Each structure stands twice: as structure tokens, then as C-alpha cells.
Amino acid sequence: MPDVSVVVIVYNDADRLPTAVRSVLDQTLHGVEVLIVDDCSTDRSFAVAQQLAAAHPDRVRALQLPENSGGCGAPRNHGVQHATGSYVMFLDSDDVLEPNACRNMLEAAERTGADLVSGMCVRVNVDSRNKKQTEWYPWLYARTRTIDSISELPDLLVFDTLSTNKCYRREFLLEAGLVFPVGIHYEDLLFSAQAYVAAKRITLIPNHVYFWNVFEKAATKSISNRRHEIANFAHRMEIHRRVDELLEREGLTELKFHKDVKFLKHDLVLHLRDLPLLDEDYRREFAVMANGYLAGIAPEAYERVQPIQAICAYLLAREDWHNLMPAVDSLINRDKLSSPLAERDGRVYWCAEHLDDPEGRRVLDVTDAGYHTRTVGQLFLRNQLTSYEDDGRGTVRLAGTVVNPLGKVAPGTPLRGRLELKARRKSLQTFSFPLTSLRIAEDGLHWDAELDLARRLRPLGVIDAVWDVRLILDADGATTRTRLTVGGVDLDSAHALRVRPRLTRLVSDRVEPAASKRGHLTFVLDAQGKAAQRTNEALRQALRSPAADLAKSGVRKARKAKRDLNSGETKLRVYHEVFSKLPVHKGLVVFESHLGKQYSDSPRAIYEEMRRQGVEFEAVWAYDGKKPDGFPKDATLVKRWSWQYLRALAQAEFWIDNQGFPLRLNKRPETTYIQTWHGSALKRMGFDEPRLKLQSRAAKAEFQKVLERFDHFLVRSEHDVRTLARAFRLRDEVLLRTGYPRNDALVAARRAEEAGGVRERGPLAEELGIPADKTVLLYAPTFRANPNGSVRGFEPPFDVDEFAERFGDRFVLLMRSHYLNNVVLPPSVRGKVIDVTAYHDITPLLQLADGMITDYSSVMFDYALLDRPMLFFAYDYDEYANEARGTYFDLKEKAPGPVLGTADELFEAIDAFKTAGDGYREARQRFTAAFGEHDRGDAARAIVEKFFGGAAATAGGPGTGGALPAPAAGDSEHSGSSVKGEAHDRA
């Protein structure tokens, strides 16, 4: 008896069947039999199956159903009935098994006694250029594990519903009476659910076992690729109902909830994506079927999916096609805003309808998405094509409407726009066409354009087959690019238009409009003349020739060589072996702040002091990401990890930064590294961190090597000496007891206030629109990560609406989250709570604030220099203070202000703000003496005079800096990190 029987099902797939069977015969486990079950094919499939059986009589059997069943269930059931192996697996004729699949799954089953063993499926996009492979829900298979009930791992039932990446004990299938449903599609969903529920033990292995080949360009579409057929959706709904009945019968209500969530975020989404291109009859039938099922889904499931998924399901349930179809556009195109939105009672909603329904207000509330906080230039807007006409000769007239959310583009705003046709392949030219009209209306921005394609569009004609269309809109200097959404416009009656390719009309001579997979207007080159068709066919044959394969191989090698040239390892090698051998440029100073994310902090203060004193030097500022605004115009800007950046660092006389230049870049002895650092420490740092103590000796030595690059390290107090300097094992001669240059402005502000008795708010108050009679509070918390590890969003730990309601007549709250976080404030607090996170330089904010609210942020040490009230909202103090990393002192003992644990306590303290501040005056003075004793207000001047000689300096570099030559093109990134201490809270 064989160990494993593999049931291979086939229908009209004679050409691919041998490959599938060969993947079984070539298994490293030899005790495997193959049962080929033909579903009454009309081609040679059964004859091929018989040939394979004849060639391998001891290992292959060929079976055939008397009539076609129309699905996968019947042939699989037939195969199980004839199987003789101890275990059973299933394989489709167009897929293959991984060579070790049977051995790995059998060993796991025998070791654990599992009824069912499941391994990782790999989805292979056969039609893609590189046969892209995607692991199917890999997090389920991160490690080997065995469970005794599917309730222990609901995600397995919810997500991995395949039957083919599994090995089943045959006696288990027979005893449990497990069979595939017949005459209905999506049979895997029900069979897998039944198997999961019936199994007494399930084992997962982290091995690839099954390669699922996907042929998107196949002439005959698979079941999963025929979602445009309403019967397809009807089958899916019926299977889901049967699974629900199973779970209810077994009392697995918690699993039903997880399945509801998956239905909203996956099954329903698959069919919603096709709606824009389907007719009204389909939509009506679809809505009836879907809504009958949605009525039974728990309302709580809507809270567990992405907002746009919940919005689409809610609008579908109400058959609100007017709002649903734009929402589906956003579902298909991530980040696209397709609705004009509505503001009610200080909240922002997807649409103005359904807000009288409590469930509608909850689901349609998109305030947290922050659309209302972004400018037109920061939004990807829906652009609905409303009209398409052509004259059949080469001229196209288009019209459309761009959504105008919350009326961001106000009447009277200067508008300009143009349409752009760009080949989908890169590095090809673009053709632009000005709009004939652009105007603001109640329902959006209306535009018209006329495209003379016959005369203006000049494609190459060979490799630029698809041309995407975009509208570039300029609204008073704010620019946004939009794609043209086709849904609702009939392109079937459009003509193929003659064009003039640059190479020859024998290749392609016309373009036709088409909708892309995401529903956007494109123009596709085609050949209609007989000569062009013959040339095209010849080209296709040539591209399949050995010579073409050789040429493609050469192109791939050239691309790989280019990637290697711009790789991080190559750049490191060139930096150390070439750039570091070049002479050091006297007067060349490279500045960087917070890993290139900002022009701020002490490096900025030193730079501006050098300019103020007239020092002659060559200035280079490093930036990260896109070329930034706000960086000095009288310095050379270089992108982090670009060739220009590496050469500048290698030849610089000075490095000045506040966090750490890339760890793997050695500093030359001739270069002086001034590390300004970015804040005193509350949380333990460097070698004081428990996680670093647990690292290997080699890792510790590497970290020490990085720290020893510092020639000078700025400290602002003896607390820094005892903590930061000791934790970084810095020699005393490296320390500069100057204070922080960034704090010079704060010391000067306090002195001016004490001397004149008047607090100058400066121009920032007017810029932010803060009335003179309002008290300004700055909320500046430390860095916060979300529970899932992401860092983008930050939810204030108190109710900002309540703050605005209680204190808005007396206070303005400036909300300044850490630079790695972002906060979204509702419109209801407009003018009373202001998000100032985008201000890189926090010093003007500190000067403006009459008081500060923080938690554990190092900004507390800086703000103390102003001798103004501080409130410490430490709502998670025990968790923070007692976590593994630990702190250098107890904040509750030394805080120069009340330490508050609840929002109610915080609001009470704000209510009594001025009197509370007076009671902590002596505590603030002690705090400043302990943590800011060297901040005397002259740090920047002292450093410039010490290292650059002040105004008397005559360094060799030009004052404004020149462009640094780069030895090669390219600007690829390399994952070099920096010396990171406590997350920089003052950034």
C-alpha cells in the first residue's frame, strides 16, 4: 500500500497534465501513487492520462467520470473512493507539488498523529515577466505547530480555505464522511471548513508544498477569474451560508465572527472591484444576493475592517449606488479620495446621506483619515470621465469632473490644468494637451479637453503599447495629479484612431481607448492594417527566438550590474576604498539633523551662527526622502546614501549632527566629528540598556567602534556626564560642557522676559491665528508606537473635544506629536487645538507656549530653561518606569510640576493652571540647575569660536558651497542606521 495517494483532477488540460503528474512521480517520498481523474474532457486529456498510467503501471491509475460535473468536487470525491494510500492529497492539472511536499507532510502527520497537515501554498503568476511568486498567508506558517481544535487558530479557517496544500488521513475523511459538494463552485471553502472542524489534531509546517499556477491571460477563465458572472457570486454566497450553518451547528460562534470579518475584507471586496465595469442588471441581482447575507453579519465586524471596506458594505446594503460607485473606486485605488465628503457637528463623513442612522454615522465617519487636514496637493482625487467622443480620424474630445472635497478649491481660486499621455514603460517621452476649459461647480471641478492624437501623439510603436492618461491640476500653486476613471462612459463605440509611430506604421498604426484593471482611461497601440499585423506577428515570433532570449539575458545582466553598482555594499566599498583616499577639503562641513529628516536642532543653530559670524566654509546639508523645503538655500543639499553624500562625508573636515551618521561609515582621522546629541536622558541608554548587555561581545565591540567616532560630545549638565557619557563609554576629554546650541534662544528669551517684564510671543502666534488674550499650552509627548508596531498614527490620550469645550474660551492647545508620529484633529476643535507637528524647529513653539504638557519627553529639560509651568500627564507611568529598559531617575520625585495619571486630573490642573505653576517655582529652579547647568546661552558662539575661529576664520571653501562632483549616477538607499538613543522627542 502506498503512503500517500495524490488525486490529480483534469478537464480539457491535456498539455499541462504531464507536468502535474511528473511533480508527483518526482517526489522524494517514493511511496506515492497518482490517481488521475478526468472530468469527462472533450480534448485528449483522458488519452494522455491513460498513456501516463501505461508508462507507470505500478504508480499511476487513470479514471474518468461518465459525464462532466462542471466543478472540482465530483472528481476529487471519485479519487478518494479509489485511493489506497494511508493519506490523501489533491492536485489540479495546471499546478505542481513541491518535490519534498509528500515527505514533509507525511513525517509531520506520523510524528504528531494529526488528521490533517497543512503546508504553505505559493501562488505563481505565470503570465508575469518574472513569474512572480507570492506566499499564501505566510504568517500562518511561520513555524511548525500543532493544534487540537480549530478554535485555537481561527485565522486558519478564515484565511487558508484551500484543500490542495493539505494532506489528509484517509481514514479520517471516510470516518467523518467528508466529501466535496458537487454542482457548485468554491467547494474548497466548505470542504476545508468541514475538515478543520472535524479534525481532532491539525499540524502546520513552514514548508512550501504546493505551487498554484495562475494564468490571467488564459482564453478560458478559471472559476476565480469569472467573477463577472452573477452565477459565480451566487455560488459563493451559497457556500458561505453552508459554512455558517456548520459553525452554528457546532456552536463555534466566535469562528463565525472571524469569518464575517474576512467576508467583508476579502470575499465581498473581490466582487465589488468588478462592479464599475458591469451593467445595471448585474448590480441589482448582486445587491439582492449580497444584502441578504450582509443582514446576518455582526455589526461589530465592520469595526475590524478597513474604513473604506466598511463604507462600501454599508452603502451596498442601502443600495446607494450614487455614493457606492465612487467608494468602490477608492477601494480599488488605494489612497484615492473619491467623495466630496461632508462636515457635520465637527466630524467629517464620507457622504452627507445616512447620517440620521446611528450605524451610518459610525461607519461613514472618516475624520481620523485626516482628509480635512490635507491640501489639494496632498490628495489623490477622483476624476470621473463624463464624456468621450472622437471623430474617427484622430481627434478626441473628453470631459470630466474632479472631486472637490469639503470645497477645498474655493470659488475664485486660480486654476490651470493639462492632460498628459505617458507611456507605461519608463524613460519614454510624455505628450501634453492643454485643457480647453476648467471651472469650479457645486459638484466638483469641471474640465474639457481636445486631443489631436493623429498629429501630436508620436509613440515609438514597439515597446510603448499602453499610454496612461492623467490630468495635472494646479489650484493656486498646489498641484495634484489625477487619473481618469472610466466607469459609466461607453468606450465600446469608440473608433480606433490612426497615429504616426516614430519607427514605422508597419509595427502599429492605431490607438484605441480602454479601461485599465483599476478602471482608468488608457490608450492602447494596435495594428489593424494587414501589413502591420504581419509585422507584429513577425515581431512576436522574433521575440520568442534564441537570439531574443540572448538579448533579454544581456538586458537583465546590464540591469543587475546597474543595481549592483548602486547597492549599499558597493557604495560602502567605494566610500572606504576610493573616497576615503581623496584629500580632505579644508572648510568642508557636513551637517545632518535627525537622520536627514529635518533642518533643525543644534546643527542648525551652529550653522546659522557660522553664517552670522561670517565664517568662510563649504556647507553641505544632508536630507532624507524627497528634496525638502525649508533647508538653507546657501548650502549644497545632498541626499542620504547618494554618491554625493558619501563623497562629502569622506572629504569633510567636520561632521556635525545630533543623532548619528550611518554606522558603517568610518571617520577619517583628519575629520573632526562634533556630536551635538539631542536631549538629556530619562530612559536608560547605550550600554546601560539591558538588551545591549545581552548582545555578543562582537556586537558590543562594533557599537563601541561607532561611538568612538565622536571627537566631541556636547553635554548640558553633569547629569549627562553621569548618564549619556558613561552609557556611551566616552572619555572625559571628548565632552564639551557648553550646553546645547539649540537652547541659546530659550536662555535669551528668559533673560529678555526677566529684564523687560514682558513676554514676546513673536510672529508665530499671528501665523497660527492665536488671539492675544488666550493662554497657550503646548502638548509635546514622547514617541508612541501603536500596538501593531506601526508608528504613523497617534491617538491623544485625552478627549480633545472635551478640552475645546471646557477651555476653548481661555486656552489654545498646540498639539506637537513626535516627528515619527502624526495626529489627526477633528474639525470640531478648529482654532482651539492646533496641530503643529509639521514645525520641525520646536524652539519657537517653546518660546510661544505659556505652559507645557508632556509625559517623559526630553523636551522637559529644554522647556525648564524658560521657567514656565509644566504639567506631566503620565497616564502609563508604571508601565513606562518599570519596563525592561528602565530610567535614570524617578520622574515623580523630580518633576518640576504635577504628575497626573488621568484625563480628569489633567483637566483639573489646566483649570487651576496659573496657581499650579506658581507652586512649583522652586522645583523648576532645582530641575534647571540639575539638568541644564551648562546651558548659558552661548553654546553656538563658543563652538564656532573654538573650531572655526569666528569671523576671523579664513577657511578654504567658498562661503555658499559648491556642487560636489559624483563619480557615478544613482541615488539608491542603503539601510545604514545611526546611534539612536531615547527616541528624539524634541525633533
Short mmCIF file of all heavy atoms in Angstrom, two decimals, residues 329-370:
data_model
loop_
_atom_site.label_atom_id
_atom_site.label_comp_id
_atom_site.label_asym_id
_atom_site.label_seq_id
_atom_site.Cartn_x
_atom_site.Cartn_y
_atom_site.Cartn_z
N ASP A 329 -14.32 52.94 -6.22
CA ASP A 329 -13.12 53.48 -6.86
C ASP A 329 -12.00 53.64 -5.83
O ASP A 329 -10.83 53.33 -6.10
CB ASP A 329 -13.45 54.82 -7.52
CG ASP A 329 -12.37 55.28 -8.49
OD1 ASP A 329 -11.46 54.50 -8.79
OD2 ASP A 329 -12.45 56.44 -8.94
N SER A 330 -12.32 54.13 -4.64
CA SER A 330 -11.31 54.25 -3.59
C SER A 330 -10.88 52.88 -3.07
O SER A 330 -9.74 52.70 -2.65
CB SER A 330 -11.86 55.08 -2.42
OG SER A 330 -12.00 56.44 -2.79
N LEU A 331 -11.79 51.92 -3.09
CA LEU A 331 -11.45 50.56 -2.69
C LEU A 331 -10.43 49.96 -3.65
O LEU A 331 -9.49 49.27 -3.22
CB LEU A 331 -12.73 49.71 -2.67
CG LEU A 331 -12.62 48.28 -2.15
CD1 LEU A 331 -12.37 48.28 -0.66
CD2 LEU A 331 -13.89 47.51 -2.47
N ILE A 332 -10.60 50.22 -4.93
CA ILE A 332 -9.71 49.67 -5.95
C ILE A 332 -8.38 50.41 -5.95
O ILE A 332 -7.31 49.79 -6.10
CB ILE A 332 -10.36 49.77 -7.34
CG1 ILE A 332 -11.64 48.94 -7.38
CG2 ILE A 332 -9.39 49.32 -8.43
CD1 ILE A 332 -12.46 49.17 -8.64
N ASN A 333 -8.44 51.72 -5.79
CA ASN A 333 -7.25 52.56 -5.88
C ASN A 333 -6.93 53.12 -4.50
O ASN A 333 -7.53 54.09 -4.05
CB ASN A 333 -7.48 53.71 -6.87
CG ASN A 333 -7.75 53.21 -8.27
OD1 ASN A 333 -6.83 52.86 -8.99
ND2 ASN A 333 -9.02 53.15 -8.65
N ARG A 334 -5.98 52.49 -3.87
CA ARG A 334 -5.62 52.86 -2.51
C ARG A 334 -5.26 54.34 -2.43
O ARG A 334 -4.56 54.86 -3.29
CB ARG A 334 -4.43 52.01 -2.07
CG ARG A 334 -4.02 52.21 -0.64
CD ARG A 334 -2.83 51.33 -0.31
NE ARG A 334 -2.35 51.58 1.04
CZ ARG A 334 -1.28 51.01 1.56
NH1 ARG A 334 -0.59 50.14 0.84
NH2 ARG A 334 -0.89 51.27 2.78
N ASP A 335 -5.74 54.98 -1.39
CA ASP A 335 -5.46 56.39 -1.08
C ASP A 335 -6.23 57.38 -1.97
O ASP A 335 -6.11 58.58 -1.78
CB ASP A 335 -3.96 56.72 -1.17
CG ASP A 335 -3.15 55.96 -0.15
OD1 ASP A 335 -3.70 55.68 0.93
OD2 ASP A 335 -1.97 55.63 -0.43
N LYS A 336 -6.99 56.89 -2.94
CA LYS A 336 -7.77 57.83 -3.74
C LYS A 336 -8.97 58.33 -2.94
O LYS A 336 -9.66 57.54 -2.29
CB LYS A 336 -8.26 57.20 -5.05
CG LYS A 336 -9.08 58.16 -5.90
CD LYS A 336 -9.72 57.50 -7.10
CE LYS A 336 -8.73 57.27 -8.22
NZ LYS A 336 -9.41 56.86 -9.48
N LEU A 337 -9.20 59.63 -2.97
CA LEU A 337 -10.38 60.21 -2.34
C LEU A 337 -11.40 60.45 -3.44
O LEU A 337 -11.20 61.30 -4.31
CB LEU A 337 -10.03 61.52 -1.63
CG LEU A 337 -11.21 62.26 -0.99
CD1 LEU A 337 -11.96 61.38 -0.02
CD2 LEU A 337 -10.73 63.53 -0.30
N SER A 338 -12.50 59.71 -3.37
CA SER A 338 -13.48 59.77 -4.46
C SER A 338 -14.77 60.47 -4.08
O SER A 338 -15.68 60.56 -4.89
CB SER A 338 -13.80 58.35 -4.93
OG SER A 338 -14.34 57.59 -3.87
N SER A 339 -14.86 60.98 -2.84
CA SER A 339 -16.10 61.61 -2.38
C SER A 339 -15.85 63.07 -2.01
O SER A 339 -14.77 63.41 -1.51
CB SER A 339 -16.63 60.85 -1.16
OG SER A 339 -17.69 61.56 -0.55
N PRO A 340 -16.85 63.93 -2.20
CA PRO A 340 -16.68 65.33 -1.78
C PRO A 340 -16.72 65.51 -0.27
O PRO A 340 -16.41 66.59 0.23
CB PRO A 340 -17.87 66.03 -2.45
CG PRO A 340 -18.89 64.97 -2.65
CD PRO A 340 -18.13 63.71 -2.91
N LEU A 341 -17.10 64.46 0.49
CA LEU A 341 -17.14 64.48 1.95
C LEU A 341 -18.22 65.45 2.46
O LEU A 341 -18.77 66.24 1.71
CB LEU A 341 -15.78 64.85 2.55
CG LEU A 341 -14.59 64.01 2.11
CD1 LEU A 341 -13.30 64.54 2.76
CD2 LEU A 341 -14.79 62.54 2.45
N ALA A 342 -18.48 65.36 3.76
CA ALA A 342 -19.44 66.25 4.40
C ALA A 342 -19.00 66.47 5.84
O ALA A 342 -18.54 65.53 6.50
CB ALA A 342 -20.85 65.63 4.38
N GLU A 343 -19.11 67.69 6.30
CA GLU A 343 -18.76 68.01 7.69
C GLU A 343 -20.05 68.30 8.46
O GLU A 343 -20.85 69.14 8.05
CB GLU A 343 -17.82 69.21 7.75
CG GLU A 343 -17.36 69.52 9.17
CD GLU A 343 -16.42 70.72 9.23
OE1 GLU A 343 -15.73 70.99 8.23
OE2 GLU A 343 -16.39 71.38 10.29
N ARG A 344 -20.22 67.59 9.59
CA ARG A 344 -21.38 67.77 10.45
C ARG A 344 -20.92 67.74 11.90
O ARG A 344 -20.25 66.79 12.32
CB ARG A 344 -22.42 66.66 10.24
CG ARG A 344 -23.01 66.59 8.85
CD ARG A 344 -24.01 67.71 8.57
NE ARG A 344 -24.69 67.49 7.30
CZ ARG A 344 -24.18 67.82 6.11
NH1 ARG A 344 -22.98 68.37 6.05
NH2 ARG A 344 -24.87 67.59 5.00
N ASP A 345 -21.29 68.74 12.65
CA ASP A 345 -21.02 68.77 14.09
C ASP A 345 -19.55 68.51 14.41
O ASP A 345 -19.22 67.80 15.36
CB ASP A 345 -21.90 67.74 14.82
CG ASP A 345 -23.39 67.96 14.56
OD1 ASP A 345 -23.80 69.14 14.51
OD2 ASP A 345 -24.11 66.97 14.41
N GLY A 346 -18.68 69.05 13.60
CA GLY A 346 -17.26 68.94 13.88
C GLY A 346 -16.63 67.62 13.49
O GLY A 346 -15.48 67.36 13.84
N ARG A 347 -17.37 66.75 12.77
CA ARG A 347 -16.83 65.49 12.28
C ARG A 347 -16.93 65.46 10.76
O ARG A 347 -17.75 66.17 10.16
CB ARG A 347 -17.59 64.29 12.86
CG ARG A 347 -17.65 64.23 14.38
CD ARG A 347 -16.30 63.99 15.01
NE ARG A 347 -15.79 62.67 14.70
CZ ARG A 347 -14.60 62.23 15.13
NH1 ARG A 347 -13.82 63.02 15.88
NH2 ARG A 347 -14.18 61.02 14.83
N VAL A 348 -16.10 64.64 10.13
CA VAL A 348 -16.08 64.54 8.67
C VAL A 348 -16.62 63.17 8.28
O VAL A 348 -16.20 62.14 8.83
CB VAL A 348 -14.65 64.73 8.12
CG1 VAL A 348 -14.63 64.55 6.60
CG2 VAL A 348 -14.13 66.12 8.50
N TYR A 349 -17.55 63.15 7.31
CA TYR A 349 -18.21 61.92 6.88
C TYR A 349 -17.99 61.70 5.40
O TYR A 349 -17.80 62.65 4.63
CB TYR A 349 -19.71 61.97 7.20
CG TYR A 349 -19.99 62.08 8.68
CD1 TYR A 349 -20.17 63.33 9.28
CD2 TYR A 349 -20.04 60.96 9.49
CE1 TYR A 349 -20.41 63.44 10.65
CE2 TYR A 349 -20.28 61.06 10.85
CZ TYR A 349 -20.46 62.30 11.42
OH TYR A 349 -20.69 62.40 12.77
N TRP A 350 -18.05 60.42 5.00
CA TRP A 350 -17.83 60.07 3.59
C TRP A 350 -18.84 60.74 2.68
O TRP A 350 -18.51 61.15 1.58
CB TRP A 350 -17.88 58.55 3.44
CG TRP A 350 -17.56 58.10 2.06
CD1 TRP A 350 -18.43 57.71 1.08
CD2 TRP A 350 -16.24 58.03 1.47
NE1 TRP A 350 -17.75 57.40 -0.06
CE2 TRP A 350 -16.41 57.57 0.15
CE3 TRP A 350 -14.96 58.28 1.95
CZ2 TRP A 350 -15.34 57.38 -0.70
CZ3 TRP A 350 -13.89 58.09 1.10
CH2 TRP A 350 -14.08 57.65 -0.21
N CYS A 351 -20.07 60.83 3.13
CA CYS A 351 -21.10 61.48 2.32
C CYS A 351 -22.13 62.11 3.26
O CYS A 351 -22.12 61.86 4.47
CB CYS A 351 -21.77 60.48 1.37
SG CYS A 351 -22.52 59.06 2.21
N ALA A 352 -23.00 62.93 2.71
CA ALA A 352 -23.97 63.65 3.53
C ALA A 352 -25.23 62.82 3.80
O ALA A 352 -26.02 63.18 4.67
CB ALA A 352 -24.37 64.96 2.82
N GLU A 353 -25.39 61.71 3.11
CA GLU A 353 -26.57 60.87 3.30
C GLU A 353 -26.35 59.88 4.46
O GLU A 353 -25.22 59.60 4.83
CB GLU A 353 -26.89 60.09 2.02
CG GLU A 353 -27.36 60.97 0.85
CD GLU A 353 -26.23 61.74 0.19
OE1 GLU A 353 -25.05 61.33 0.34
OE2 GLU A 353 -26.51 62.77 -0.45
N HIS A 354 -27.46 59.37 4.99
CA HIS A 354 -27.48 58.30 6.01
C HIS A 354 -26.96 58.75 7.38
O HIS A 354 -26.74 57.90 8.25
CB HIS A 354 -26.66 57.08 5.55
CG HIS A 354 -26.91 56.67 4.13
ND1 HIS A 354 -28.13 56.18 3.71
CD2 HIS A 354 -26.11 56.73 3.03
CE1 HIS A 354 -28.06 55.92 2.42
NE2 HIS A 354 -26.86 56.25 1.98
N LEU A 355 -26.79 60.03 7.58
CA LEU A 355 -26.24 60.48 8.86
C LEU A 355 -27.30 60.53 9.96
O LEU A 355 -26.96 60.76 11.13
CB LEU A 355 -25.57 61.85 8.70
CG LEU A 355 -24.41 61.90 7.70
CD1 LEU A 355 -23.75 63.26 7.69
CD2 LEU A 355 -23.39 60.80 7.98
N ASP A 356 -28.56 60.32 9.60
CA ASP A 356 -29.59 60.21 10.63
C ASP A 356 -29.65 58.80 11.21
O ASP A 356 -30.34 58.55 12.20
CB ASP A 356 -30.96 60.57 10.06
CG ASP A 356 -31.31 59.76 8.81
OD1 ASP A 356 -30.39 59.14 8.23
OD2 ASP A 356 -32.50 59.75 8.42
N ASP A 357 -28.90 57.87 10.62
CA ASP A 357 -28.80 56.50 11.10
C ASP A 357 -27.55 56.38 11.98
O ASP A 357 -26.44 56.65 11.51
CB ASP A 357 -28.70 55.54 9.91
CG ASP A 357 -28.43 54.11 10.32
OD1 ASP A 357 -28.67 53.77 11.50
OD2 ASP A 357 -27.97 53.32 9.47
N PRO A 358 -27.68 56.00 13.26
CA PRO A 358 -26.50 55.89 14.13
C PRO A 358 -25.41 54.99 13.56
O PRO A 358 -24.22 55.30 13.67
CB PRO A 358 -27.08 55.31 15.43
CG PRO A 358 -28.51 55.71 15.42
CD PRO A 358 -28.93 55.70 13.98
N GLU A 359 -25.83 53.87 12.94
CA GLU A 359 -24.84 52.99 12.33
C GLU A 359 -24.16 53.69 11.15
O GLU A 359 -22.95 53.56 10.94
CB GLU A 359 -25.52 51.70 11.85
CG GLU A 359 -24.58 50.68 11.22
CD GLU A 359 -23.64 50.02 12.21
OE1 GLU A 359 -23.78 50.27 13.43
OE2 GLU A 359 -22.76 49.27 11.78
N GLY A 360 -24.92 54.46 10.39
CA GLY A 360 -24.35 55.21 9.27
C GLY A 360 -23.34 56.24 9.75
O GLY A 360 -22.26 56.39 9.15
N ARG A 361 -23.67 56.97 10.81
CA ARG A 361 -22.72 57.97 11.33
C ARG A 361 -21.43 57.30 11.78
O ARG A 361 -20.34 57.85 11.61
CB ARG A 361 -23.36 58.73 12.49
CG ARG A 361 -24.50 59.66 12.09
CD ARG A 361 -25.03 60.43 13.28
NE ARG A 361 -24.11 61.49 13.68
CZ ARG A 361 -24.17 62.74 13.20
NH1 ARG A 361 -25.07 63.07 12.31
NH2 ARG A 361 -23.32 63.65 13.62
N ARG A 362 -21.54 56.11 12.35
CA ARG A 362 -20.34 55.42 12.83
C ARG A 362 -19.48 54.93 11.67
O ARG A 362 -18.27 55.16 11.63
CB ARG A 362 -20.74 54.24 13.73
CG ARG A 362 -19.56 53.53 14.38
CD ARG A 362 -20.02 52.38 15.22
NE ARG A 362 -20.69 51.35 14.45
CZ ARG A 362 -20.05 50.43 13.72
NH1 ARG A 362 -18.73 50.44 13.65
NH2 ARG A 362 -20.71 49.52 13.04
N VAL A 363 -20.12 54.25 10.70
CA VAL A 363 -19.36 53.67 9.59
C VAL A 363 -18.81 54.74 8.66
O VAL A 363 -17.68 54.64 8.16
CB VAL A 363 -20.24 52.66 8.82
CG1 VAL A 363 -19.53 52.19 7.55
CG2 VAL A 363 -20.59 51.48 9.70
N LEU A 364 -19.60 55.79 8.40
CA LEU A 364 -19.22 56.79 7.40
C LEU A 364 -18.31 57.88 7.97
O LEU A 364 -17.86 58.76 7.22
CB LEU A 364 -20.48 57.44 6.82
CG LEU A 364 -21.44 56.49 6.09
CD1 LEU A 364 -22.72 57.20 5.73
CD2 LEU A 364 -20.77 55.91 4.84
N ASP A 365 -18.01 57.85 9.25
CA ASP A 365 -17.14 58.84 9.88
C ASP A 365 -15.69 58.59 9.46
O ASP A 365 -15.09 57.57 9.79
CB ASP A 365 -17.26 58.76 11.40
CG ASP A 365 -16.57 59.92 12.11
OD1 ASP A 365 -15.59 60.46 11.57
OD2 ASP A 365 -17.01 60.29 13.21
N VAL A 366 -15.11 59.52 8.69
CA VAL A 366 -13.73 59.38 8.21
C VAL A 366 -12.85 60.50 8.76
O VAL A 366 -11.82 60.83 8.16
CB VAL A 366 -13.69 59.37 6.66
CG1 VAL A 366 -14.34 58.11 6.11
CG2 VAL A 366 -14.35 60.62 6.08
N THR A 367 -13.24 61.04 9.90
CA THR A 367 -12.44 62.13 10.48
C THR A 367 -11.01 61.70 10.71
O THR A 367 -10.06 62.44 10.42
CB THR A 367 -13.07 62.57 11.82
OG1 THR A 367 -14.45 62.87 11.62
CG2 THR A 367 -12.36 63.81 12.35
N ASP A 368 -10.83 60.47 11.22
CA ASP A 368 -9.48 60.01 11.56
C ASP A 368 -8.58 59.82 10.34
O ASP A 368 -7.37 59.71 10.48
CB ASP A 368 -9.56 58.69 12.34
CG ASP A 368 -10.17 58.88 13.72
OD1 ASP A 368 -10.21 60.04 14.18
OD2 ASP A 368 -10.61 57.88 14.33
N ALA A 369 -9.18 59.77 9.15
CA ALA A 369 -8.36 59.66 7.94
C ALA A 369 -7.61 60.95 7.65
O ALA A 369 -6.62 60.96 6.90
CB ALA A 369 -9.22 59.28 6.74
N GLY A 370 -8.07 62.06 8.24
CA GLY A 370 -7.34 63.32 8.11
C GLY A 370 -7.47 64.01 6.77
O GLY A 370 -6.66 64.89 6.45
#
